Amino acid sequence: MSVLAALARATGGHAREAGDGDAVGGVPARFVAAPGSTDEAAAVLRVAAGHDLALVARGGGTKLDWGAPPRRVDLVVETRRLDRVVEHAAGDLVVVVQAGVPLAALADRLAGAGQRLAIDEVVPGTTVGGALATGLTGPRRLQVGAVRDLVLGATLVRADGVVARSGGKVVKNVAGYDVAKLVCGAYGTLGLVTEAAFRLHPVPPAAGYAAVRVPDAAAAHAAVQRVLHAQFVPSAVEVDRPEPGGPVEVALLVEGTERGVAARLRQAVDALGPGAAAGDRPAWWGRLPGGEVLVKATTELGGLGRLLDGVQRVGPAAVRGSAGVGVLLLGTAADTAPA
């Protein structure tokens, strides 16, 4: 039996030869298979193992060029047919969802119950599996933690086709190794995630934003420190500096009851300093900075000013990200010197 025939048999006919649009990081692929269940995914990976195929998982395809490019791509495993919300236990604030479900579709589904998975869709079109693979959380990381703090359990298929499960549907679970957290940020190198369970949060009845534009890194650092040491508790604190050496915008989000948000926004404006104002969500909020190369940079909470100054010395780079937790993203040109 040919490789394509074996993949088609494993997926109920959902396999094909790859085309130009299936390349990963400029590396062409040979085949594409789209399993519709964990069992089908296991069968696909057994075929891959039996024929020594190098494979890459693809959800929405929004971040396939992140990380190191593959040396070869024999098989692209699509998760688009893994598109079911398996279980939503609204009373327990838990959802079990397949890896191919887009974050936006999941948000719509959960909104009917007044709940949300507090992972921001930083890149439009991101799937649940993609969020796990890259570990990209977004502004609300300050309030709820990273992706790894929200995942309760996961089902994944190893390279040899063996199905592994870890965790469960409760917050306190000590059954076995915490593989679900291990796969967060692993870029799909440890196995193909087919299903995951997450902790949910209620959707607050009100939210508001406040922002200030300051002239330099030192002023941005001072504004962020005042906010973090204030009595009100923001859900997110973000910074944006589109141009090296240019002004920095510091913005924050507060959530809660309408009355509480109004009072805390007044405190936020005072903490941000002269020129601050409450208003709409900034257009750049929760989005990637511009640039051909994206670099993740982390710092201690007291190191924001030094990091911004350091980036400025390196070369032209836009800086954007979560100053409240010290995780920033730098967007720079492809010819920027690695050193």
Side-chain angles (χ1 to χ4, degrees), residues 144-167:
V144 301
V147 175
R148 67 184 305 276
D149 300 308
L150 298 173
V151 63
L152 300 175
T155 299
L156 68 152
V157 184
R158 300 186 334 197
D160 57 2
V162 173
V163 177
R165 294 179 173 86
S166 72

PDB file of all heavy atoms in Angstrom, residues 144-167:
ATOM      1  N   VAL A 144      -4.668  36.150  34.896  1.00  0.00           N
ATOM      2  CA  VAL A 144      -5.018  34.726  34.955  1.00  0.00           C
ATOM      3  C   VAL A 144      -3.836  33.795  34.764  1.00  0.00           C
ATOM      4  O   VAL A 144      -3.971  32.581  34.922  1.00  0.00           O
ATOM      5  CB  VAL A 144      -6.111  34.392  33.911  1.00  0.00           C
ATOM      6  CG1 VAL A 144      -7.354  35.219  34.162  1.00  0.00           C
ATOM      7  CG2 VAL A 144      -5.599  34.610  32.495  1.00  0.00           C
ATOM      8  N   GLY A 145      -2.671  34.332  34.400  1.00  0.00           N
ATOM      9  CA  GLY A 145      -1.536  33.469  34.145  1.00  0.00           C
ATOM     10  C   GLY A 145      -1.400  33.137  32.670  1.00  0.00           C
ATOM     11  O   GLY A 145      -2.185  33.569  31.825  1.00  0.00           O
ATOM     12  N   ALA A 146      -0.377  32.358  32.356  1.00  0.00           N
ATOM     13  CA  ALA A 146      -0.104  31.966  30.980  1.00  0.00           C
ATOM     14  C   ALA A 146      -0.999  30.799  30.574  1.00  0.00           C
ATOM     15  O   ALA A 146      -1.785  30.277  31.371  1.00  0.00           O
ATOM     16  CB  ALA A 146       1.372  31.592  30.848  1.00  0.00           C
ATOM     17  N   VAL A 147      -0.862  30.369  29.321  1.00  0.00           N
ATOM     18  CA  VAL A 147      -1.648  29.235  28.826  1.00  0.00           C
ATOM     19  C   VAL A 147      -1.469  28.021  29.730  1.00  0.00           C
ATOM     20  O   VAL A 147      -2.426  27.316  30.051  1.00  0.00           O
ATOM     21  CB  VAL A 147      -1.237  28.898  27.376  1.00  0.00           C
ATOM     22  CG1 VAL A 147      -1.958  27.652  26.897  1.00  0.00           C
ATOM     23  CG2 VAL A 147      -1.538  30.063  26.447  1.00  0.00           C
ATOM     24  N   ARG A 148      -0.241  27.776  30.139  1.00  0.00           N
ATOM     25  CA  ARG A 148       0.050  26.596  30.963  1.00  0.00           C
ATOM     26  C   ARG A 148      -0.666  26.641  32.309  1.00  0.00           C
ATOM     27  O   ARG A 148      -0.838  25.620  32.966  1.00  0.00           O
ATOM     28  CB  ARG A 148       1.564  26.451  31.169  1.00  0.00           C
ATOM     29  CG  ARG A 148       2.184  27.547  32.016  1.00  0.00           C
ATOM     30  CD  ARG A 148       3.702  27.399  32.089  1.00  0.00           C
ATOM     31  NE  ARG A 148       4.107  26.095  32.551  1.00  0.00           N
ATOM     32  CZ  ARG A 148       4.192  25.740  33.815  1.00  0.00           C
ATOM     33  NH1 ARG A 148       3.868  26.618  34.758  1.00  0.00           N
ATOM     34  NH2 ARG A 148       4.581  24.539  34.156  1.00  0.00           N
ATOM     35  N   ASP A 149      -1.060  27.832  32.758  1.00  0.00           N
ATOM     36  CA  ASP A 149      -1.777  27.951  34.024  1.00  0.00           C
ATOM     37  C   ASP A 149      -3.272  27.699  33.868  1.00  0.00           C
ATOM     38  O   ASP A 149      -3.978  27.535  34.873  1.00  0.00           O
ATOM     39  CB  ASP A 149      -1.559  29.344  34.622  1.00  0.00           C
ATOM     40  CG  ASP A 149      -0.087  29.620  34.899  1.00  0.00           C
ATOM     41  OD1 ASP A 149       0.546  28.782  35.565  1.00  0.00           O
ATOM     42  OD2 ASP A 149       0.421  30.650  34.434  1.00  0.00           O
ATOM     43  N   LEU A 150      -3.762  27.683  32.627  1.00  0.00           N
ATOM     44  CA  LEU A 150      -5.189  27.496  32.372  1.00  0.00           C
ATOM     45  C   LEU A 150      -5.524  26.080  31.917  1.00  0.00           C
ATOM     46  O   LEU A 150      -6.679  25.666  31.990  1.00  0.00           O
ATOM     47  CB  LEU A 150      -5.666  28.496  31.309  1.00  0.00           C
ATOM     48  CG  LEU A 150      -5.541  29.979  31.688  1.00  0.00           C
ATOM     49  CD1 LEU A 150      -5.877  30.857  30.493  1.00  0.00           C
ATOM     50  CD2 LEU A 150      -6.442  30.307  32.861  1.00  0.00           C
ATOM     51  N   VAL A 151      -4.533  25.343  31.407  1.00  0.00           N
ATOM     52  CA  VAL A 151      -4.799  23.999  30.910  1.00  0.00           C
ATOM     53  C   VAL A 151      -4.806  23.004  32.073  1.00  0.00           C
ATOM     54  O   VAL A 151      -3.918  23.021  32.930  1.00  0.00           O
ATOM     55  CB  VAL A 151      -3.784  23.599  29.823  1.00  0.00           C
ATOM     56  CG1 VAL A 151      -2.370  23.533  30.368  1.00  0.00           C
ATOM     57  CG2 VAL A 151      -4.169  22.282  29.181  1.00  0.00           C
ATOM     58  N   LEU A 152      -5.826  22.179  32.114  1.00  0.00           N
ATOM     59  CA  LEU A 152      -5.975  21.183  33.185  1.00  0.00           C
ATOM     60  C   LEU A 152      -5.539  19.791  32.754  1.00  0.00           C
ATOM     61  O   LEU A 152      -5.140  18.973  33.588  1.00  0.00           O
ATOM     62  CB  LEU A 152      -7.440  21.126  33.633  1.00  0.00           C
ATOM     63  CG  LEU A 152      -8.036  22.414  34.184  1.00  0.00           C
ATOM     64  CD1 LEU A 152      -9.525  22.226  34.465  1.00  0.00           C
ATOM     65  CD2 LEU A 152      -7.311  22.854  35.442  1.00  0.00           C
ATOM     66  N   GLY A 153      -5.641  19.514  31.475  1.00  0.00           N
ATOM     67  CA  GLY A 153      -5.284  18.188  30.985  1.00  0.00           C
ATOM     68  C   GLY A 153      -5.220  18.203  29.475  1.00  0.00           C
ATOM     69  O   GLY A 153      -5.732  19.124  28.826  1.00  0.00           O
ATOM     70  N   ALA A 154      -4.589  17.196  28.898  1.00  0.00           N
ATOM     71  CA  ALA A 154      -4.452  17.141  27.446  1.00  0.00           C
ATOM     72  C   ALA A 154      -4.358  15.698  26.990  1.00  0.00           C
ATOM     73  O   ALA A 154      -3.888  14.819  27.719  1.00  0.00           O
ATOM     74  CB  ALA A 154      -3.220  17.922  26.987  1.00  0.00           C
ATOM     75  N   THR A 155      -4.826  15.481  25.765  1.00  0.00           N
ATOM     76  CA  THR A 155      -4.646  14.207  25.076  1.00  0.00           C
ATOM     77  C   THR A 155      -3.732  14.458  23.903  1.00  0.00           C
ATOM     78  O   THR A 155      -3.972  15.364  23.100  1.00  0.00           O
ATOM     79  CB  THR A 155      -5.991  13.657  24.571  1.00  0.00           C
ATOM     80  OG1 THR A 155      -6.861  13.429  25.678  1.00  0.00           O
ATOM     81  CG2 THR A 155      -5.789  12.355  23.818  1.00  0.00           C
ATOM     82  N   LEU A 156      -2.653  13.697  23.813  1.00  0.00           N
ATOM     83  CA  LEU A 156      -1.740  13.872  22.695  1.00  0.00           C
ATOM     84  C   LEU A 156      -1.311  12.517  22.163  1.00  0.00           C
ATOM     85  O   LEU A 156      -1.397  11.493  22.855  1.00  0.00           O
ATOM     86  CB  LEU A 156      -0.516  14.689  23.100  1.00  0.00           C
ATOM     87  CG  LEU A 156       0.482  14.095  24.081  1.00  0.00           C
ATOM     88  CD1 LEU A 156       1.867  14.691  23.833  1.00  0.00           C
ATOM     89  CD2 LEU A 156       0.074  14.387  25.516  1.00  0.00           C
ATOM     90  N   VAL A 157      -0.869  12.545  20.913  1.00  0.00           N
ATOM     91  CA  VAL A 157      -0.413  11.325  20.254  1.00  0.00           C
ATOM     92  C   VAL A 157       1.092  11.433  20.067  1.00  0.00           C
ATOM     93  O   VAL A 157       1.589  12.412  19.500  1.00  0.00           O
ATOM     94  CB  VAL A 157      -1.109  11.140  18.897  1.00  0.00           C
ATOM     95  CG1 VAL A 157      -0.683   9.808  18.281  1.00  0.00           C
ATOM     96  CG2 VAL A 157      -2.622  11.184  19.054  1.00  0.00           C
ATOM     97  N   ARG A 158       1.812  10.442  20.552  1.00  0.00           N
ATOM     98  CA  ARG A 158       3.266  10.432  20.423  1.00  0.00           C
ATOM     99  C   ARG A 158       3.661  10.126  18.984  1.00  0.00           C
ATOM    100  O   ARG A 158       2.843   9.716  18.158  1.00  0.00           O
ATOM    101  CB  ARG A 158       3.881   9.403  21.357  1.00  0.00           C
ATOM    102  CG  ARG A 158       3.572   9.647  22.806  1.00  0.00           C
ATOM    103  CD  ARG A 158       4.308   8.696  23.736  1.00  0.00           C
ATOM    104  NE  ARG A 158       4.679   7.404  23.151  1.00  0.00           N
ATOM    105  CZ  ARG A 158       5.031   6.340  23.865  1.00  0.00           C
ATOM    106  NH1 ARG A 158       5.051   6.412  25.184  1.00  0.00           N
ATOM    107  NH2 ARG A 158       5.371   5.217  23.274  1.00  0.00           N
ATOM    108  N   ALA A 159       4.942  10.294  18.689  1.00  0.00           N
ATOM    109  CA  ALA A 159       5.424  10.075  17.329  1.00  0.00           C
ATOM    110  C   ALA A 159       5.226   8.630  16.864  1.00  0.00           C
ATOM    111  O   ALA A 159       5.131   8.373  15.665  1.00  0.00           O
ATOM    112  CB  ALA A 159       6.896  10.459  17.235  1.00  0.00           C
ATOM    113  N   ASP A 160       5.150   7.697  17.807  1.00  0.00           N
ATOM    114  CA  ASP A 160       4.954   6.295  17.427  1.00  0.00           C
ATOM    115  C   ASP A 160       3.481   5.913  17.345  1.00  0.00           C
ATOM    116  O   ASP A 160       3.146   4.737  17.137  1.00  0.00           O
ATOM    117  CB  ASP A 160       5.668   5.368  18.410  1.00  0.00           C
ATOM    118  CG  ASP A 160       5.214   5.573  19.854  1.00  0.00           C
ATOM    119  OD1 ASP A 160       4.316   6.409  20.090  1.00  0.00           O
ATOM    120  OD2 ASP A 160       5.772   4.902  20.749  1.00  0.00           O
ATOM    121  N   GLY A 161       2.574   6.877  17.518  1.00  0.00           N
ATOM    122  CA  GLY A 161       1.153   6.600  17.407  1.00  0.00           C
ATOM    123  C   GLY A 161       0.487   6.205  18.703  1.00  0.00           C
ATOM    124  O   GLY A 161      -0.719   5.952  18.723  1.00  0.00           O
ATOM    125  N   VAL A 162       1.225   6.186  19.787  1.00  0.00           N
ATOM    126  CA  VAL A 162       0.652   5.849  21.089  1.00  0.00           C
ATOM    127  C   VAL A 162      -0.049   7.081  21.668  1.00  0.00           C
ATOM    128  O   VAL A 162       0.506   8.178  21.662  1.00  0.00           O
ATOM    129  CB  VAL A 162       1.735   5.345  22.065  1.00  0.00           C
ATOM    130  CG1 VAL A 162       1.162   5.150  23.470  1.00  0.00           C
ATOM    131  CG2 VAL A 162       2.340   4.059  21.548  1.00  0.00           C
ATOM    132  N   VAL A 163      -1.270   6.886  22.164  1.00  0.00           N
ATOM    133  CA  VAL A 163      -2.044   7.975  22.739  1.00  0.00           C
ATOM    134  C   VAL A 163      -1.691   8.129  24.217  1.00  0.00           C
ATOM    135  O   VAL A 163      -1.657   7.142  24.963  1.00  0.00           O
ATOM    136  CB  VAL A 163      -3.558   7.719  22.587  1.00  0.00           C
ATOM    137  CG1 VAL A 163      -4.368   8.832  23.248  1.00  0.00           C
ATOM    138  CG2 VAL A 163      -3.924   7.617  21.109  1.00  0.00           C
ATOM    139  N   ALA A 164      -1.418   9.353  24.630  1.00  0.00           N
ATOM    140  CA  ALA A 164      -1.091   9.646  26.029  1.00  0.00           C
ATOM    141  C   ALA A 164      -2.064  10.686  26.559  1.00  0.00           C
ATOM    142  O   ALA A 164      -2.421  11.631  25.855  1.00  0.00           O
ATOM    143  CB  ALA A 164       0.346  10.153  26.152  1.00  0.00           C
ATOM    144  N   ARG A 165      -2.490  10.508  27.789  1.00  0.00           N
ATOM    145  CA  ARG A 165      -3.413  11.448  28.422  1.00  0.00           C
ATOM    146  C   ARG A 165      -2.844  11.869  29.771  1.00  0.00           C
ATOM    147  O   ARG A 165      -2.279  11.051  30.495  1.00  0.00           O
ATOM    148  CB  ARG A 165      -4.801  10.829  28.601  1.00  0.00           C
ATOM    149  CG  ARG A 165      -5.516  10.547  27.296  1.00  0.00           C
ATOM    150  CD  ARG A 165      -6.882   9.903  27.525  1.00  0.00           C
ATOM    151  NE  ARG A 165      -7.637   9.777  26.287  1.00  0.00           N
ATOM    152  CZ  ARG A 165      -7.529   8.761  25.452  1.00  0.00           C
ATOM    153  NH1 ARG A 165      -6.699   7.762  25.722  1.00  0.00           N
ATOM    154  NH2 ARG A 165      -8.241   8.734  24.334  1.00  0.00           N
ATOM    155  N   SER A 166      -3.022  13.148  30.096  1.00  0.00           N
ATOM    156  CA  SER A 166      -2.553  13.636  31.382  1.00  0.00           C
ATOM    157  C   SER A 166      -3.561  14.607  31.948  1.00  0.00           C
ATOM    158  O   SER A 166      -4.351  15.217  31.225  1.00  0.00           O
ATOM    159  CB  SER A 166      -1.197  14.342  31.240  1.00  0.00           C
ATOM    160  OG  SER A 166      -1.351  15.590  30.592  1.00  0.00           O
ATOM    161  N   GLY A 167      -3.534  14.756  33.271  1.00  0.00           N
ATOM    162  CA  GLY A 167      -4.440  15.688  33.920  1.00  0.00           C
ATOM    163  C   GLY A 167      -5.873  15.216  33.869  1.00  0.00           C
ATOM    164  O   GLY A 167      -6.167  14.031  33.708  1.00  0.00           O
TER     165      GLY A 167
END
